[in-house]
mmCIF file of all heavy atoms in Angstrom:
data_model
loop_
_atom_site.group_PDB
_atom_site.id
_atom_site.type_symbol
_atom_site.label_atom_id
_atom_site.label_comp_id
_atom_site.label_asym_id
_atom_site.label_seq_id
_atom_site.Cartn_x
_atom_site.Cartn_y
_atom_site.Cartn_z
ATOM 1 N N SER B 1 51.852 -28.915 55.798
ATOM 2 C CA SER B 1 51.777 -28.599 57.220
ATOM 3 C C SER B 1 50.486 -27.827 57.532
ATOM 4 O O SER B 1 49.830 -28.101 58.589
ATOM 5 C CB SER B 1 52.885 -27.617 57.613
ATOM 6 O OG SER B 1 54.147 -28.430 57.585
ATOM 7 N N LEU B 2 49.958 -26.954 56.629
ATOM 8 C CA LEU B 2 48.703 -26.395 56.835
ATOM 9 C C LEU B 2 47.545 -27.335 56.884
ATOM 10 O O LEU B 2 46.549 -27.130 57.558
ATOM 11 C CB LEU B 2 48.474 -25.201 55.789
ATOM 12 C CG LEU B 2 49.440 -24.022 56.015
ATOM 13 C CD1 LEU B 2 49.453 -23.110 54.747
ATOM 14 C CD2 LEU B 2 49.023 -23.162 57.198
ATOM 15 N N ASP B 3 47.653 -28.362 56.038
ATOM 16 C CA ASP B 3 46.619 -29.385 56.003
ATOM 17 C C ASP B 3 46.574 -30.076 57.410
ATOM 18 O O ASP B 3 45.538 -30.506 57.946
ATOM 19 C CB ASP B 3 46.825 -30.457 54.887
ATOM 20 C CG ASP B 3 46.521 -29.902 53.498
ATOM 21 O OD1 ASP B 3 45.780 -28.919 53.407
ATOM 22 O OD2 ASP B 3 46.956 -30.513 52.515
ATOM 23 N N MET B 4 47.753 -30.358 57.912
ATOM 24 C CA MET B 4 47.859 -30.989 59.282
ATOM 25 C C MET B 4 47.252 -30.067 60.352
ATOM 26 O O MET B 4 46.483 -30.505 61.237
ATOM 27 C CB MET B 4 49.320 -31.275 59.607
ATOM 28 C CG MET B 4 49.935 -32.246 58.735
ATOM 29 S SD MET B 4 51.777 -32.365 59.023
ATOM 30 C CE MET B 4 51.771 -32.846 60.709
ATOM 31 N N ALA B 5 47.474 -28.719 60.219
ATOM 32 C CA ALA B 5 47.005 -27.807 61.229
ATOM 33 C C ALA B 5 45.448 -27.735 61.101
ATOM 34 O O ALA B 5 44.702 -27.827 62.147
ATOM 35 C CB ALA B 5 47.553 -26.379 60.859
ATOM 36 N N LYS B 6 44.928 -27.679 59.857
ATOM 37 C CA LYS B 6 43.507 -27.678 59.671
ATOM 38 C C LYS B 6 42.810 -28.971 60.215
ATOM 39 O O LYS B 6 41.755 -28.814 60.920
ATOM 40 C CB LYS B 6 43.106 -27.496 58.202
ATOM 41 C CG LYS B 6 41.615 -27.361 57.909
ATOM 42 C CD LYS B 6 41.400 -27.056 56.372
ATOM 43 C CE LYS B 6 39.942 -26.873 56.121
ATOM 44 N NZ LYS B 6 39.696 -26.634 54.765
ATOM 45 N N ALA B 7 43.388 -30.122 59.989
ATOM 46 C CA ALA B 7 42.878 -31.438 60.432
ATOM 47 C C ALA B 7 42.786 -31.407 61.970
ATOM 48 O O ALA B 7 41.851 -32.048 62.540
ATOM 49 C CB ALA B 7 43.653 -32.513 59.876
ATOM 50 N N ALA B 8 43.758 -30.752 62.662
ATOM 51 C CA ALA B 8 43.806 -30.750 64.057
ATOM 52 C C ALA B 8 42.828 -29.643 64.653
ATOM 53 O O ALA B 8 42.645 -29.656 65.902
ATOM 54 C CB ALA B 8 45.226 -30.459 64.610
ATOM 55 N N GLY B 9 42.324 -28.827 63.822
ATOM 56 C CA GLY B 9 41.401 -27.802 64.316
ATOM 57 C C GLY B 9 42.042 -26.436 64.648
ATOM 58 O O GLY B 9 41.457 -25.604 65.287
ATOM 59 N N ILE B 10 43.279 -26.317 64.231
ATOM 60 C CA ILE B 10 43.986 -25.011 64.346
ATOM 61 C C ILE B 10 43.412 -24.028 63.418
ATOM 62 O O ILE B 10 43.288 -24.190 62.191
ATOM 63 C CB ILE B 10 45.578 -25.116 64.166
ATOM 64 C CG1 ILE B 10 46.113 -26.144 65.092
ATOM 65 C CG2 ILE B 10 46.187 -23.798 64.145
ATOM 66 C CD1 ILE B 10 47.590 -26.381 64.795
ATOM 67 N N LYS B 11 42.951 -22.874 63.959
ATOM 68 C CA LYS B 11 42.337 -21.802 63.143
ATOM 69 C C LYS B 11 43.418 -21.031 62.343
ATOM 70 O O LYS B 11 44.544 -20.853 62.880
ATOM 71 C CB LYS B 11 41.498 -20.854 64.042
ATOM 72 C CG LYS B 11 40.352 -21.605 64.667
ATOM 73 C CD LYS B 11 39.546 -20.639 65.505
ATOM 74 C CE LYS B 11 38.461 -21.313 66.341
ATOM 75 N NZ LYS B 11 37.549 -22.199 65.486
ATOM 76 N N ASP B 12 42.988 -20.527 61.239
ATOM 77 C CA ASP B 12 43.937 -19.805 60.372
ATOM 78 C C ASP B 12 44.572 -18.574 61.125
ATOM 79 O O ASP B 12 45.750 -18.305 60.851
ATOM 80 C CB ASP B 12 43.260 -19.312 59.106
ATOM 81 C CG ASP B 12 42.977 -20.434 58.078
ATOM 82 O OD1 ASP B 12 43.509 -21.532 58.308
ATOM 83 O OD2 ASP B 12 42.401 -20.133 57.063
ATOM 84 N N ASP B 13 43.741 -17.937 61.967
ATOM 85 C CA ASP B 13 44.333 -16.715 62.630
ATOM 86 C C ASP B 13 45.270 -17.033 63.761
ATOM 87 O O ASP B 13 45.724 -16.169 64.416
ATOM 88 C CB ASP B 13 43.160 -15.816 63.030
ATOM 89 C CG ASP B 13 42.237 -16.446 64.000
ATOM 90 O OD1 ASP B 13 42.467 -17.513 64.506
ATOM 91 O OD2 ASP B 13 41.248 -15.755 64.439
ATOM 92 N N ALA B 14 45.517 -18.378 63.910
ATOM 93 C CA ALA B 14 46.535 -18.788 64.911
ATOM 94 C C ALA B 14 47.937 -18.936 64.250
ATOM 95 O O ALA B 14 48.894 -19.252 64.965
ATOM 96 C CB ALA B 14 46.138 -19.944 65.714
ATOM 97 N N VAL B 15 47.927 -18.822 62.988
ATOM 98 C CA VAL B 15 49.109 -19.324 62.127
ATOM 99 C C VAL B 15 49.961 -18.190 61.545
ATOM 100 O O VAL B 15 49.404 -17.318 60.958
ATOM 101 C CB VAL B 15 48.698 -20.298 61.104
ATOM 102 C CG1 VAL B 15 49.941 -20.712 60.197
ATOM 103 C CG2 VAL B 15 47.924 -21.546 61.602
ATOM 104 N N VAL B 16 51.301 -18.269 61.704
ATOM 105 C CA VAL B 16 52.258 -17.497 60.832
ATOM 106 C C VAL B 16 53.195 -18.530 60.322
ATOM 107 O O VAL B 16 53.379 -19.676 60.806
ATOM 108 C CB VAL B 16 52.885 -16.401 61.677
ATOM 109 C CG1 VAL B 16 51.969 -15.454 62.284
ATOM 110 C CG2 VAL B 16 53.803 -16.997 62.702
ATOM 111 N N LEU B 17 53.842 -18.150 59.201
ATOM 112 C CA LEU B 17 54.811 -19.025 58.417
ATOM 113 C C LEU B 17 56.166 -18.434 58.502
ATOM 114 O O LEU B 17 56.372 -17.233 58.323
ATOM 115 C CB LEU B 17 54.335 -19.233 57.053
ATOM 116 C CG LEU B 17 52.866 -19.747 56.855
ATOM 117 C CD1 LEU B 17 52.634 -19.825 55.335
ATOM 118 C CD2 LEU B 17 52.630 -21.071 57.538
ATOM 119 N N ASP B 18 57.195 -19.315 58.582
ATOM 120 C CA ASP B 18 58.561 -18.907 58.690
ATOM 121 C C ASP B 18 59.241 -19.502 57.385
ATOM 122 O O ASP B 18 59.258 -20.753 57.349
ATOM 123 C CB ASP B 18 59.261 -19.270 59.919
ATOM 124 C CG ASP B 18 60.726 -19.011 59.988
ATOM 125 O OD1 ASP B 18 61.352 -18.659 59.004
ATOM 126 O OD2 ASP B 18 61.289 -19.038 61.193
ATOM 127 N N PRO B 19 59.744 -18.817 56.461
ATOM 128 C CA PRO B 19 60.424 -19.457 55.329
ATOM 129 C C PRO B 19 61.568 -20.241 55.585
ATOM 130 O O PRO B 19 62.120 -20.930 54.684
ATOM 131 C CB PRO B 19 60.722 -18.252 54.464
ATOM 132 C CG PRO B 19 59.876 -17.093 54.920
ATOM 133 C CD PRO B 19 59.710 -17.337 56.359
ATOM 134 N N GLY B 20 62.130 -20.231 56.779
ATOM 135 C CA GLY B 20 63.250 -21.130 57.144
ATOM 136 C C GLY B 20 64.574 -20.801 56.587
ATOM 137 O O GLY B 20 65.302 -21.624 56.070
ATOM 138 N N PHE B 21 65.016 -19.502 56.560
ATOM 139 C CA PHE B 21 66.362 -19.058 56.172
ATOM 140 C C PHE B 21 67.344 -19.888 57.056
ATOM 141 O O PHE B 21 67.210 -20.029 58.255
ATOM 142 C CB PHE B 21 66.518 -17.623 56.416
ATOM 143 C CG PHE B 21 65.753 -16.735 55.385
ATOM 144 C CD1 PHE B 21 64.526 -16.176 55.657
ATOM 145 C CD2 PHE B 21 66.375 -16.548 54.131
ATOM 146 C CE1 PHE B 21 63.966 -15.447 54.702
ATOM 147 C CE2 PHE B 21 65.718 -15.794 53.085
ATOM 148 C CZ PHE B 21 64.505 -15.213 53.470
ATOM 149 N N GLY B 22 68.317 -20.429 56.400
ATOM 150 C CA GLY B 22 69.334 -21.284 57.054
ATOM 151 C C GLY B 22 68.975 -22.755 57.106
ATOM 152 O O GLY B 22 69.744 -23.615 57.516
ATOM 153 N N PHE B 23 67.810 -23.102 56.628
ATOM 154 C CA PHE B 23 67.303 -24.444 56.651
ATOM 155 C C PHE B 23 66.900 -24.883 55.275
ATOM 156 O O PHE B 23 66.204 -25.939 55.080
ATOM 157 C CB PHE B 23 66.044 -24.615 57.535
ATOM 158 C CG PHE B 23 66.422 -24.478 58.957
ATOM 159 C CD1 PHE B 23 66.593 -23.200 59.532
ATOM 160 C CD2 PHE B 23 66.663 -25.498 59.819
ATOM 161 C CE1 PHE B 23 66.916 -23.026 60.875
ATOM 162 C CE2 PHE B 23 66.965 -25.433 61.128
ATOM 163 C CZ PHE B 23 67.060 -24.136 61.712
ATOM 164 N N VAL B 24 67.436 -24.272 54.209
ATOM 165 C CA VAL B 24 67.144 -24.665 52.818
ATOM 166 C C VAL B 24 68.109 -25.735 52.339
ATOM 167 O O VAL B 24 69.060 -26.090 53.090
ATOM 168 C CB VAL B 24 67.271 -23.394 51.861
ATOM 169 C CG1 VAL B 24 66.162 -22.329 52.325
ATOM 170 C CG2 VAL B 24 68.597 -22.720 51.881
ATOM 171 N N GLN B 25 67.976 -26.182 51.083
ATOM 172 C CA GLN B 25 68.747 -27.266 50.612
ATOM 173 C C GLN B 25 70.144 -26.798 50.303
ATOM 174 O O GLN B 25 71.126 -27.435 50.706
ATOM 175 C CB GLN B 25 68.154 -27.854 49.345
ATOM 176 C CG GLN B 25 66.740 -28.336 49.437
ATOM 177 C CD GLN B 25 66.154 -28.771 48.136
ATOM 178 O OE1 GLN B 25 66.731 -29.569 47.331
ATOM 179 N NE2 GLN B 25 65.058 -28.172 47.762
ATOM 180 N N ARG B 26 70.313 -25.591 49.659
ATOM 181 C CA ARG B 26 71.610 -25.163 49.177
ATOM 182 C C ARG B 26 71.807 -23.717 49.611
ATOM 183 O O ARG B 26 70.872 -22.975 49.396
ATOM 184 C CB ARG B 26 71.768 -25.343 47.649
ATOM 185 C CG ARG B 26 71.531 -26.816 47.228
ATOM 186 C CD ARG B 26 71.721 -26.894 45.749
ATOM 187 N NE ARG B 26 70.772 -26.009 44.935
ATOM 188 C CZ ARG B 26 69.550 -26.365 44.673
ATOM 189 N NH1 ARG B 26 69.016 -27.445 45.129
ATOM 190 N NH2 ARG B 26 68.834 -25.491 44.032
ATOM 191 N N ARG B 27 73.029 -23.377 49.846
ATOM 192 C CA ARG B 27 73.271 -21.954 50.311
ATOM 193 C C ARG B 27 72.857 -20.916 49.315
ATOM 194 O O ARG B 27 72.434 -19.867 49.605
ATOM 195 C CB ARG B 27 74.772 -21.774 50.692
ATOM 196 C CG ARG B 27 75.085 -20.409 51.246
ATOM 197 C CD ARG B 27 76.481 -20.331 51.741
ATOM 198 N NE ARG B 27 76.658 -21.144 52.885
ATOM 199 C CZ ARG B 27 77.873 -21.198 53.546
ATOM 200 N NH1 ARG B 27 78.832 -20.478 53.143
ATOM 201 N NH2 ARG B 27 78.006 -21.992 54.623
ATOM 202 N N GLU B 28 73.074 -21.234 47.920
ATOM 203 C CA GLU B 28 72.723 -20.279 46.988
ATOM 204 C C GLU B 28 71.277 -19.950 46.912
ATOM 205 O O GLU B 28 70.838 -18.913 46.287
ATOM 206 C CB GLU B 28 73.195 -20.777 45.593
ATOM 207 C CG GLU B 28 72.621 -22.055 45.086
ATOM 208 C CD GLU B 28 73.464 -23.278 45.512
ATOM 209 O OE1 GLU B 28 74.239 -23.190 46.389
ATOM 210 O OE2 GLU B 28 73.300 -24.228 44.781
ATOM 211 N N GLN B 29 70.442 -20.814 47.527
ATOM 212 C CA GLN B 29 69.018 -20.562 47.546
ATOM 213 C C GLN B 29 68.595 -19.470 48.643
ATOM 214 O O GLN B 29 67.570 -18.947 48.509
ATOM 215 C CB GLN B 29 68.244 -21.848 47.919
ATOM 216 C CG GLN B 29 68.351 -22.906 46.860
ATOM 217 C CD GLN B 29 67.578 -24.172 47.218
ATOM 218 O OE1 GLN B 29 67.743 -24.578 48.398
ATOM 219 N NE2 GLN B 29 66.671 -24.644 46.326
ATOM 220 N N GLU B 30 69.520 -19.129 49.476
ATOM 221 C CA GLU B 30 69.179 -18.078 50.491
ATOM 222 C C GLU B 30 68.879 -16.724 49.878
ATOM 223 O O GLU B 30 67.870 -16.061 50.192
ATOM 224 C CB GLU B 30 70.301 -17.978 51.542
ATOM 225 C CG GLU B 30 70.709 -19.291 52.124
ATOM 226 C CD GLU B 30 69.882 -19.708 53.260
ATOM 227 O OE1 GLU B 30 68.678 -19.193 53.489
ATOM 228 O OE2 GLU B 30 70.222 -20.690 54.017
ATOM 229 N N SER B 31 69.723 -16.282 49.015
ATOM 230 C CA SER B 31 69.514 -14.980 48.333
ATOM 231 C C SER B 31 68.375 -15.052 47.456
ATOM 232 O O SER B 31 67.572 -14.016 47.430
ATOM 233 C CB SER B 31 70.794 -14.677 47.526
ATOM 234 O OG SER B 31 71.908 -14.400 48.315
ATOM 235 N N GLU B 32 68.097 -16.211 46.769
ATOM 236 C CA GLU B 32 66.927 -16.275 45.956
ATOM 237 C C GLU B 32 65.669 -16.231 46.729
ATOM 238 O O GLU B 32 64.675 -15.602 46.441
ATOM 239 C CB GLU B 32 66.995 -17.635 45.145
ATOM 240 C CG GLU B 32 65.765 -17.705 44.288
ATOM 241 C CD GLU B 32 65.731 -19.015 43.462
ATOM 242 O OE1 GLU B 32 66.732 -19.808 43.556
ATOM 243 O OE2 GLU B 32 64.788 -19.260 42.743
ATOM 244 N N LEU B 33 65.749 -16.822 47.942
ATOM 245 C CA LEU B 33 64.560 -16.811 48.852
ATOM 246 C C LEU B 33 64.271 -15.403 49.316
ATOM 247 O O LEU B 33 63.121 -14.972 49.436
ATOM 248 C CB LEU B 33 64.785 -17.730 50.034
ATOM 249 C CG LEU B 33 63.659 -17.881 51.059
ATOM 250 C CD1 LEU B 33 62.308 -18.230 50.334
ATOM 251 C CD2 LEU B 33 64.092 -18.862 52.118
ATOM 252 N N MET B 34 65.354 -14.689 49.629
ATOM 253 C CA MET B 34 65.116 -13.234 49.939
ATOM 254 C C MET B 34 64.471 -12.475 48.807
ATOM 255 O O MET B 34 63.542 -11.721 49.072
ATOM 256 C CB MET B 34 66.523 -12.535 50.420
ATOM 257 C CG MET B 34 66.936 -12.891 51.766
ATOM 258 S SD MET B 34 68.182 -11.759 52.390
ATOM 259 C CE MET B 34 69.620 -12.177 51.405
ATOM 260 N N ALA B 35 64.968 -12.756 47.585
ATOM 261 C CA ALA B 35 64.436 -12.034 46.412
ATOM 262 C C ALA B 35 62.911 -12.402 46.172
ATOM 263 O O ALA B 35 62.187 -11.596 45.665
ATOM 264 C CB ALA B 35 65.286 -12.326 45.254
ATOM 265 N N ARG B 36 62.557 -13.547 46.427
ATOM 266 C CA ARG B 36 61.277 -14.121 46.026
ATOM 267 C C ARG B 36 60.392 -14.293 47.224
ATOM 268 O O ARG B 36 59.249 -14.871 47.047
ATOM 269 C CB ARG B 36 61.488 -15.410 45.306
ATOM 270 C CG ARG B 36 62.275 -15.294 43.986
ATOM 271 C CD ARG B 36 62.430 -16.638 43.326
ATOM 272 N NE ARG B 36 61.165 -17.185 42.911
ATOM 273 C CZ ARG B 36 60.897 -18.443 42.557
ATOM 274 N NH1 ARG B 36 62.012 -19.304 42.593
ATOM 275 N NH2 ARG B 36 59.714 -18.927 42.181
ATOM 276 N N CYS B 37 60.776 -13.931 48.424
ATOM 277 C CA CYS B 37 60.014 -14.179 49.612
ATOM 278 C C CYS B 37 58.543 -13.678 49.495
ATOM 279 O O CYS B 37 57.636 -14.367 49.994
ATOM 280 C CB CYS B 37 60.616 -13.598 50.836
ATOM 281 S SG CYS B 37 60.085 -14.159 52.433
ATOM 282 N N GLY B 38 58.357 -12.618 48.812
ATOM 283 C CA GLY B 38 57.026 -12.081 48.662
ATOM 284 C C GLY B 38 56.003 -13.029 47.965
ATOM 285 O O GLY B 38 54.778 -12.935 48.152
ATOM 286 N N GLU B 39 56.588 -13.984 47.198
ATOM 287 C CA GLU B 39 55.638 -14.925 46.537
ATOM 288 C C GLU B 39 54.894 -15.793 47.600
ATOM 289 O O GLU B 39 53.865 -16.397 47.178
ATOM 290 C CB GLU B 39 56.464 -15.824 45.596
ATOM 291 C CG GLU B 39 57.115 -15.037 44.397
ATOM 292 C CD GLU B 39 57.945 -16.011 43.512
ATOM 293 O OE1 GLU B 39 57.508 -17.084 43.259
ATOM 294 O OE2 GLU B 39 58.955 -15.484 43.099
ATOM 295 N N LEU B 40 55.462 -15.974 48.743
ATOM 296 C CA LEU B 40 54.811 -16.782 49.791
ATOM 297 C C LEU B 40 53.535 -16.113 50.295
ATOM 298 O O LEU B 40 52.738 -16.778 50.960
ATOM 299 C CB LEU B 40 55.767 -17.059 50.951
ATOM 300 C CG LEU B 40 57.044 -17.849 50.525
ATOM 301 C CD1 LEU B 40 57.925 -18.006 51.745
ATOM 302 C CD2 LEU B 40 56.615 -19.257 50.001
ATOM 303 N N HIS B 41 53.320 -14.817 49.966
ATOM 304 C CA HIS B 41 52.110 -14.157 50.411
ATOM 305 C C HIS B 41 50.860 -14.852 49.765
ATOM 306 O O HIS B 41 49.720 -14.692 50.276
ATOM 307 C CB HIS B 41 52.131 -12.685 50.134
ATOM 308 C CG HIS B 41 53.089 -11.955 50.994
ATOM 309 N ND1 HIS B 41 53.092 -11.974 52.387
ATOM 310 C CD2 HIS B 41 54.120 -11.140 50.613
ATOM 311 C CE1 HIS B 41 54.068 -11.224 52.841
ATOM 312 N NE2 HIS B 41 54.715 -10.678 51.871
ATOM 313 N N SER B 42 51.067 -15.537 48.730
ATOM 314 C CA SER B 42 50.013 -16.239 48.018
ATOM 315 C C SER B 42 49.268 -17.180 48.932
ATOM 316 O O SER B 42 48.063 -17.560 48.764
ATOM 317 C CB SER B 42 50.442 -16.961 46.770
ATOM 318 O OG SER B 42 51.339 -18.012 47.104
ATOM 319 N N LEU B 43 49.908 -17.702 50.002
ATOM 320 C CA LEU B 43 49.319 -18.614 50.896
ATOM 321 C C LEU B 43 48.356 -17.931 51.893
ATOM 322 O O LEU B 43 47.533 -18.527 52.518
ATOM 323 C CB LEU B 43 50.404 -19.334 51.813
ATOM 324 C CG LEU B 43 51.251 -20.249 50.958
ATOM 325 C CD1 LEU B 43 52.542 -20.691 51.759
ATOM 326 C CD2 LEU B 43 50.461 -21.480 50.590
ATOM 327 N N GLY B 44 48.429 -16.550 52.070
ATOM 328 C CA GLY B 44 47.571 -15.780 52.810
ATOM 329 C C GLY B 44 47.839 -15.705 54.286
ATOM 330 O O GLY B 44 46.928 -15.363 55.061
ATOM 331 N N PHE B 45 49.062 -16.049 54.701
ATOM 332 C CA PHE B 45 49.430 -16.008 56.100
ATOM 333 C C PHE B 45 50.570 -15.057 56.326
ATOM 334 O O PHE B 45 51.458 -14.834 55.479
ATOM 335 C CB PHE B 45 49.872 -17.412 56.625
ATOM 336 C CG PHE B 45 48.746 -18.383 56.607
ATOM 337 C CD1 PHE B 45 48.483 -19.145 55.479
ATOM 338 C CD2 PHE B 45 47.956 -18.577 57.700
ATOM 339 C CE1 PHE B 45 47.381 -20.061 55.431
ATOM 340 C CE2 PHE B 45 46.872 -19.541 57.781
ATOM 341 C CZ PHE B 45 46.613 -20.254 56.618
ATOM 342 N N PRO B 46 50.632 -14.364 57.509
ATOM 343 C CA PRO B 46 51.743 -13.564 57.872
ATOM 344 C C PRO B 46 53.110 -14.302 57.855
ATOM 345 O O PRO B 46 53.068 -15.517 58.139
ATOM 346 C CB PRO B 46 51.439 -13.024 59.261
ATOM 347 C CG PRO B 46 49.954 -13.255 59.454
ATOM 348 C CD PRO B 46 49.629 -14.462 58.665
ATOM 349 N N LEU B 47 54.184 -13.597 57.678
ATOM 350 C CA LEU B 47 55.508 -14.163 57.479
ATOM 351 C C LEU B 47 56.367 -13.667 58.757
ATOM 352 O O LEU B 47 56.415 -12.530 59.044
ATOM 353 C CB LEU B 47 56.191 -13.881 56.187
ATOM 354 C CG LEU B 47 55.508 -14.304 54.910
ATOM 355 C CD1 LEU B 47 56.348 -13.980 53.766
ATOM 356 C CD2 LEU B 47 55.240 -15.862 54.987
ATOM 357 N N LEU B 48 57.042 -14.682 59.297
ATOM 358 C CA LEU B 48 58.030 -14.442 60.320
ATOM 359 C C LEU B 48 59.360 -14.775 59.766
ATOM 360 O O LEU B 48 59.578 -15.791 59.138
ATOM 361 C CB LEU B 48 57.739 -15.323 61.528
ATOM 362 C CG LEU B 48 58.566 -15.133 62.832
ATOM 363 C CD1 LEU B 48 57.817 -15.432 64.071
ATOM 364 C CD2 LEU B 48 59.862 -15.988 62.764
#
């Protein structure tokens, strides 16, 4: 998705990312996502 944004000319400082709680593959992944959410900071964007 970030590649699509960059190709369209969207600047990095216009972007935040939402990990999509409630939209994962399996319910047991929700708690794991809460536990590991900080790993998404590696992308360098704020999280919603």
Side-chain angles (χ1 to χ4, degrees):
S1 290
L2 289 167
D3 285 344
M4 295 170 62
K6 184 176 181 179
I10 298 174
K11 298 184 183 305
D12 284 354
D13 61 5
V15 176
V16 303
L17 305 179
D18 180 343
F21 286 97
F23 291 80
V24 300
Q25 300 172 58
R26 301 181 305 278
R27 183 175 293 181
E28 60 268 23
Q29 291 179 314
E30 306 281 12
S31 295
E32 181 181 357
L33 181 55
M34 280 197 290
R36 301 178 62 193
C37 196
E39 295 178 40
L40 297 176
H41 291 306
S42 64
L43 292 167
F45 293 89
L47 298 181
L48 184 153

